[in-house]
Amino acid sequence: MLRTSGWEKALRYVLMLGVLALTVGPFLWQLSTSLKGTTEDIYTSPPRFLPEHPTGHNYAEVAGVVPVWDYALNSLRVAVASVVTNLVGASMAGYALARLRFRGRRAAGLVFVAALLVPVESVVIAQFTLVRELNLNNTLTAVVLPGAVGALNVLLMRNAFAALPYETEEAAVIDGANAWQRFTRIALPSVRGTLAVVAIFSFMGAWDDFLWPLIVLSDADNFTLTVGLNFLHGTFTQNPRLVAAGTVIAVAPLLVMFACLQRYFFRGVGEGAVKG
Amino acid sequence: MKWLDQPAEHYADKLGADAAAGTLPDVVNVSPDLSHPLAAAGMLMNLDKEKAAAAFKDEYTPEAWQGNALPGLAGTYAFPWYLNTGPLFYNKALFRDAGLDPEKPPKTYDELFAAANTMARKSGGRIATLAGTPSVEDFGRYGVRLMNDDATAFTYNEPKGVELLTRYKELYDHGGLDPQALTNTPEKAGQKFLEQKVAMNPGGAHDLETFKKNAPGLYRRLGITDAPNNTGKPNMYVMGLAVNKQSRHKAAAVAFAHYVTNRKNQEAFAHKVAVFPSTRGSLEDPYWTRDDGTDEGRVRVASAKMLKGAVNYTPVVMSDEMKTVLKNEVAKALQGKKSPRQALDDAAAASNRLLKRD
Amino acid sequence: MRRAPAPAVRTHRATSPWLFLLPGLAVVSAFGLYPFLTTVHQAFTDARTLTPGTWVGLDNFRRMLDDEQFWVALRNSGLYVALVVPFTVLLPLLLALLVQKPLKGVAFFRAAFYTPVVASVVVVALIWGWMLDDRGLVNGILRVLGAGPVDFLGDAWLLLLSAMALTVWKGLGYYMVIYLAALGNVPHELHEAAAVDGAGALRRFVGVTVPAVRSTMVLVAALSSVSAFKVFSEVYLLAGPTGGPAGQDTTLVMLVQRTGTGLAGRVGYASALSLVVFVIALLLMLLVLRADRKEDR
């Protein structure tokens, strides 16, 4: 490895700090706004980045208007369920597409590619009719179902399994292990990183979804966070501090989860999970 | 039976999905523009034809019962629930600074345009009078005929409508409208009024609380008036409770809808959330006739008075898409991309095409 | 893509692959393909939200040709692809090169650059709306610099550009990660050889890095073209449901949403529009991938 010269190092850090300000800055600005009290002017020029008298008041007020924490719990349930179904469903399908030879494999692969191209907005009503025929409308199960096995996740898993050298399974085949045993004992443990990527993608997807839960859920008890926050949007735009507090509550759990999993995530990336 | 509250935004999408899937609740909260497509598709009970329901007709004011009637469908499809009409708030200090009498807010559109021009001139274009573009209610209050009698074609492109839009265009060019008027949402408009950049803004009684808390300075100079009007008939919003025709518990649903909208419950509800009851005699109650000295009381009494003889200008057959068509064409006229006449002709033509497809 | 070398004998029962595929295929068919087929069918009817509709042949497509809004929306979605894709192909690559060197703390930066991807687009749009407000952060800074105020949210073009900037910003981390994965496979020796040759940073980038990650750049171009063409949330949230001043910022998927939903929604026409979106997205993807293959020869 080449030595990095001093000035190059400095330049890299300066650039990284610059990008950091651009990517994370807006979130910190939102956090700062949410901590500013009612008496503090939030429109000052030059902008004041730190709140004068930081207060948690806005958070208490948001929670008083809508049961944010109940909604967050619903979102968490949906997101966790979605992670589980995606891990199981996508890895199984991905394994079959990558490691098993059979007639119809190409067609099956195409089904998942085609599904990626359909704009969700145009099929929502048809999806709702289906959920309703299954008698599942207004349940959290219905919120999970359409995204239970994401087409993109299937393709990611297929790529990860395809990248494994054939020899990985050879010994097991000779030992007479069947497909399921090879899948669970050998293939799965070799793609842990990609599994982390799929977990993160499906958690984020479920946590952030708005249009679908809005249509499926009619009972306020079942609302997920994004639908619940929609209440805030109309009611409180006159007070950016409250909106800011609401958005911080919506973002924080995701950031915490990502911070915890990012090590595995980037390892998964190194595995070539998100390559074509 | 279960009570479900829905956020206003996307409520129509939600009802649409429910109705299409056959899961419409037994009793639905609808404004006439929502009940129209539902009733047209045969999903709502015609109360005039249902003896058990028609019996309650006399408990409501005739205007309110009429307000829930649907043209072309021969009947009333919802129990009248609450009514609403918004006061127009204005900033007395800004009026004074512009040399306008803060105690004499504009009452007609002529006065409104005159005041707005003065405001723009005197403030050097810094202060706009209104934050939004004219809506279909404005056309109605200006005295424009919005539709033909059998509600099969839009007529707001008649000369009077063109005249109103032409005057709005002049106003926009002279700085009488907020520069962002074309994109302002009601919330954004409210915020600009709060920041004292805009001198007048429509609102409701609940806004008083916001002003008191977030803009005490503004609150002290707050003026309250009615929206300018050339017809003598103020605008009102009508809300109703409709009964699902396919309901398995029809009798119970009718009873429930009537129970919620009966005089006692409507008055109690209106006390709580600052709306107005549609039951006969309710508005003669001292609560709505006697000024108790508070600002809330003043707004309440003034609004209740306006409701007598008020009409719902928004045509019930006007779907959201048709409202967007009008809004976008009005914006094109204000931008100068089309003449007001051309814009309104195009809007009416496009809306009529949408209407025919029903 | 090259397949893993195939075993000479079959190593599983004939039904096994289908059992593995069952959950995935069931969900994707039921909630992706089946509704899509419904959409294809409805594109040729005059269905509405509350009425099933009858067969009208190509009427919906003919009507599109005279629909002013359709052309505006097609223009906007097209512009979105043209202006967003070059940035999402290039900027994330530079970013990946920046955080690739194992310097101290680089893991933190990598994760931090990913933050905008993690946050919901609803939240991100709320934050941007607040920053781009005429009294918001950006204008506050501009004022200090003696410029502005710029009316980001009032002008149709500025609104569209702001939404594009938001899309690029939110995608930075996502595509950076894809590039990181690809760069991991570029042998270091290549770079080192070039550096020893005394090649400058720019020449090394063009001569070594770009050829090495070219197939990934194509993939990113294909993915981001499709998603840029289907843009909905960013514009919907910043410009409002009616698409900015006079609807000039409406995109195709916004038009689908606007015409197809609500109680009087014209499901038939909206389905026809969806079909157009689908076909163009598919063509875009094939076009990008085809261009790549040609260069290969």
Side-chain angles (χ1 to χ4, degrees):
Chain A
M1 163 126 293
L2 280 190
R3 285 244 325 274
T4 316
S5 68
W7 72 266
E8 188 195 331
K9 233 187 220 174
L11 183 68
R12 276 176 180 271
Y13 277 113
V14 169
L15 284 173
M16 285 197 286
L17 284 174
V19 179
L20 183 71
L22 280 179
T23 50
V24 181
F27 294 98
L28 295 180
W29 175 242
Q30 197 75 352
L31 180 66
S32 156
T33 305
S34 75
L35 293 174
K36 288 177 179 172
T38 348
T39 50
E40 185 170 349
D41 187 2
I42 48 174
Y43 298 106
T44 52
S45 174
R48 203 175 291 133
F49 290 96
L50 290 178
E52 247 173 358
H53 309 287
T55 161
H57 173 78
N58 295 317
Y59 291 86
E61 193 165 338
V62 165
V65 178
V66 287
V68 191
W69 303 114
D70 295 350
Y71 295 160
L73 188 66
N74 285 336
S75 281
L76 189 68
R77 282 195 197 129
V78 168
V80 168
S82 179
V83 168
V84 172
T85 54
N86 268 292
L87 285 179
V88 174
S91 61
M92 281 169 63
Y95 181 78
L97 291 177
R99 311 291 299 192
L100 303 178
R101 297 204 68 189
F102 58 99
R103 191 188 282 268
R105 173 159 90 158
R106 266 182 83 80
L110 270 180
V111 166
F112 292 105
V113 174
L116 271 186
L117 292 173
V118 180
V120 187
E121 282 75 16
S122 61
V123 297
V124 153
I125 300 299
Q127 291 181 335
F128 181 63
T129 314
L130 184 67
V131 160
R132 144 82 202 128
E133 276 158 10
L134 298 173
N135 246 326
L136 287 171
N137 52 312
N138 194 20
T139 62
L140 291 179
T141 313
V143 179
V144 178
L145 265 181
V149 184
L152 181 65
N153 295 333
V154 171
L155 297 177
L156 287 178
M157 291 310 304
R158 184 194 65 181
N159 286 357
F161 285 124
L164 296 179
Y166 173 66
E167 296 76 49
T168 330
E169 289 182 59
E170 210 166 25
V173 171
I174 292 164
D175 285 350
N178 64 26
W180 180 254
Q181 288 162 337
R182 295 197 310 269
F183 168 63
T184 50
R185 291 190 202 150
I186 298 162
L188 268 186
S190 327
V191 295
R192 258 185 242 137
T194 311
L195 290 171
V197 172
V198 167
I200 288 183
F201 278 1
S202 27
F203 192 97
M204 276 164 32
W207 185 273
D208 290 348
D209 195 13
F210 172 65
L211 186 64
W212 175 245
L214 177 79
I215 287 183
V216 168
L217 299 175
S218 43
D219 199 333
D221 290 343
N222 286 338
F223 279 176
T224 57
L225 197 57
T226 42
V227 180
L229 281 183
N230 190 42
F231 271 117
L232 266 187
H233 183 52
T235 339
F236 286 105
T237 23
Q238 293 184 345
N239 190 352
R241 302 170 188 88
L242 283 188
V243 178
T247 54
V248 170
I249 294 177
V251 166
L254 275 176
L255 293 188
V256 170
M257 188 213 55
F258 180 68
C260 296
L261 288 181
Q262 55 99 3
R263 225 155 29 98
Y264 303 98
F265 179 71
F266 283 102
R267 191 191 300 160
V269 167
E271 226 166 61
V274 271
K275 269 191 311 170
Chain B
M1 221 163 287
K2 239 163 138 192
W3 184 260
L4 303 176
D5 253 334
Q6 290 292 336
E9 207 182 341
H10 301 288
Y11 181 62
D13 290 350
K14 172 85 198 147
L15 271 189
D18 276 341
T23 48
L24 210 59
D26 290 332
V27 175
V28 212
N29 175 8
V30 281
S31 52
D33 59 317
L34 291 182
S35 64
H36 186 266
L38 288 173
M43 295 188 164
L44 300 184
M45 180 194 281
N46 184 343
L47 303 184
D48 289 334
K49 293 244 174 75
E50 190 81 22
K51 251 198 207 137
F56 299 122
K57 182 176 172 177
D58 290 338
E59 294 182 16
Y60 306 92
T61 66
E63 294 94 344
W65 191 266
Q66 191 52 40
N68 281 289
L70 303 175
L73 296 174
T76 295
Y77 289 80
F79 284 104
W81 198 12
Y82 58 88
L83 308 172
N84 212 349
T85 180
L88 186 63
F89 293 117
Y90 68 101
N91 188 321
K92 286 186 179 171
L94 293 179
F95 266 63
R96 202 175 299 116
D97 295 345
L100 296 162
D101 185 347
E103 302 311 320
K104 280 208 187 112
K107 291 278 178 214
T108 65
Y109 278 88
D110 283 342
E111 288 172 23
L112 173 70
F113 290 123
N117 277 322
T118 313
M119 181 77 68
R121 210 175 49 244
K122 287 278 171 59
S123 69
R126 272 185 320 103
I127 307 291
T129 303
L130 291 170
T133 56
S135 61
V136 67
E137 291 94 349
D138 281 300
F139 282 85
R141 279 191 302 249
Y142 192 74
V144 179
R145 213 166 81 105
L146 299 174
M147 291 199 91
N148 62 5
D149 289 332
D150 48 1
T152 52
F154 286 91
T155 55
Y156 51 63
N157 54 339
E158 64 168 24
K160 204 150 194 189
V162 176
E163 177 189 308
L164 175 70
L165 187 52
T166 309
R167 296 178 76 177
Y168 257 100
K169 160 92 176 108
E170 284 162 17
L171 198 64
Y172 183 63
D173 291 342
H174 297 153
L177 294 189
D178 182 67
Q180 296 187 337
L182 305 186
T183 48
N184 279 338
T185 57
E187 292 85 27
K188 196 92 213 260
Q191 195 184 317
K192 297 211 157 151
F193 182 69
L194 220 61
E195 293 166 12
Q196 314 207 30
K197 276 187 181 163
V198 167
M200 302 187 91
N201 195 48
H206 57 275
D207 288 318
L208 286 172
E209 197 53 41
T210 317
F211 296 149
K212 230 186 268 181
K213 210 166 120 202
N214 291 344
L218 170 67
Y219 188 70
R220 278 191 300 278
R221 24 175 108 149
L222 188 71
I224 303 167
T225 181
D226 308 339
N229 197 314
N230 290 354
T231 61
K233 289 182 194 152
N235 183 55
M236 71 170 171
Y237 301 97
V238 194
M239 200 48 88
L241 282 186
V243 175
N244 181 352
K245 198 174 179 180
Q246 277 110 33
S247 169
R248 259 171 293 166
H249 328 278
K250 239 182 237 177
V254 169
F256 177 72
H258 170 253
Y259 172 78
V260 173
T261 58
N262 72 20
R263 180 164 175 175
K264 192 171 137 250
N265 284 319
Q266 279 214 37
E267 289 183 6
F269 183 66
H271 275 262
K272 260 206 188 120
V273 290
V275 291
F276 300 89
S278 61
T279 36
R280 209 176 270 251
S282 290
L283 291 179
E284 269 104 75
D285 186 277
Y287 182 74
W288 282 285
T289 51
R290 208 171 302 139
D291 192 340
D292 58 6
T294 63
D295 285 298
E296 283 84 356
R298 209 150 46 97
V299 174
R300 188 168 62 231
V301 170
S303 301
K305 214 165 80 198
M306 277 169 66
L307 280 172
K308 289 188 186 115
V311 278
N312 177 16
Y313 279 109
T314 315
V316 299
V317 296
M318 194 166 181
S319 67
D320 284 343
E321 203 181 353
M322 299 174 200
K323 284 177 196 158
T324 304
V325 165
L326 176 61
K327 185 182 142 127
N328 286 345
E329 291 298 328
V330 162
K332 281 176 200 162
L334 295 184
Q335 287 176 325
K337 287 198 175 134
K338 275 185 187 176
S339 72
R341 160 154 218 117
Q342 187 64 46
L344 290 181
D345 282 352
D346 289 353
S351 301
N352 288 342
R353 256 199 316 274
L354 291 177
L355 209 52
K356 273 211 199 79
R357 295 256 161 174
D358 264 326
Chain C
M1 165 160 308
R2 204 166 298 142
R3 294 183 193 162
V9 283
R10 207 172 58 198
T11 56
H12 54 82
R13 264 173 291 158
T15 47
S16 304
W18 297 105
L19 291 176
F20 272 89
L21 281 168
L22 185 66
L25 275 184
V27 170
V28 168
S29 314
F31 291 97
L33 295 192
Y34 162 73
F36 178 68
L37 293 180
T38 321
T39 307
V40 173
H41 168 75
Q42 282 179 329
F44 299 94
T45 71
D46 59 357
R48 291 188 166 247
T49 305
L50 302 178
T51 48
T54 52
W55 188 262
V56 294
L58 290 173
D59 262 16
N60 288 324
F61 297 93
R62 245 176 258 132
R63 233 143 54 83
M64 236 177 257
L65 301 177
D66 313 323
D67 185 347
E68 201 191 333
Q69 276 291 305
F70 168 71
W71 293 107
V72 170
L74 185 64
R75 177 199 73 192
N76 288 337
S77 295
L79 274 179
Y80 225 86
V81 175
L83 294 178
V84 164
V85 174
F87 289 103
T88 48
V89 171
L90 208 60
L91 291 181
L93 175 57
L94 297 177
L95 210 54
L97 289 172
L98 187 62
V99 296
Q100 194 205 1
K101 274 250 160 92
L103 296 176
K104 210 174 208 178
V106 92
F108 162 76
F109 285 105
R110 242 183 240 175
F113 295 170
Y114 201 76
T115 319
V117 188
V118 177
S120 139
V121 65
V122 179
V123 166
V124 165
L126 276 175
I127 297 179
W128 273 55
W130 167 225
M131 286 200 315
L132 294 176
D133 190 272
D134 38 358
R135 292 175 74 180
L137 180 63
V138 176
N139 272 313
I141 293 174
L142 284 178
R143 210 169 315 147
V144 175
L145 300 174
V150 178
D151 191 6
F152 292 105
L153 303 179
D155 178 85
W157 288 114
L158 281 177
L159 260 171
L160 199 62
L161 290 175
S162 303
M164 289 175 184
L166 171 54
T167 305
V168 172
W169 177 80
K170 192 161 164 33
L172 277 181
Y174 182 75
Y175 296 113
M176 172 190 82
V177 159
I178 298 187
Y179 279 124
L180 275 176
L183 285 171
N185 300 338
V186 179
H188 276 292
E189 298 77 46
L190 270 183
H191 265 277
E192 290 177 19
V196 171
D197 278 353
L202 185 67
R203 274 192 39 210
R204 246 184 297 163
F205 176 70
V206 176
V208 180
T209 313
V210 168
V213 295
R214 211 201 52 196
S215 68
T216 310
M217 291 175 78
V218 171
L219 174 77
V220 169
L223 285 179
S224 67
S225 314
V226 171
S227 71
F229 193 72
K230 291 197 300 182
V231 64
F232 171 74
S233 309
E234 292 93 324
V235 186
Y236 181 89
L237 293 164
L238 275 189
T242 59
Q248 289 298 304
D249 292 324
T250 305
T251 69
L252 271 180
V253 177
M254 281 171 80
L255 197 60
V256 170
Q257 188 265 351
R258 189 189 306 158
T259 40
T261 56
L263 282 172
R266 292 180 293 151
V267 177
Y269 189 54
S271 300
L273 287 169
S274 314
L275 213 54
V276 170
V277 175
F278 176 80
V279 169
I280 297 182
L282 187 66
L283 288 179
L284 266 176
M285 183 131 149
L286 292 178
L287 202 75
V288 175
L289 296 177
R290 166 65 54 95
D292 178 45
R293 207 172 305 155
K294 258 195 199 138
E295 263 177 60
D296 253 355
R297 283 185 197 143

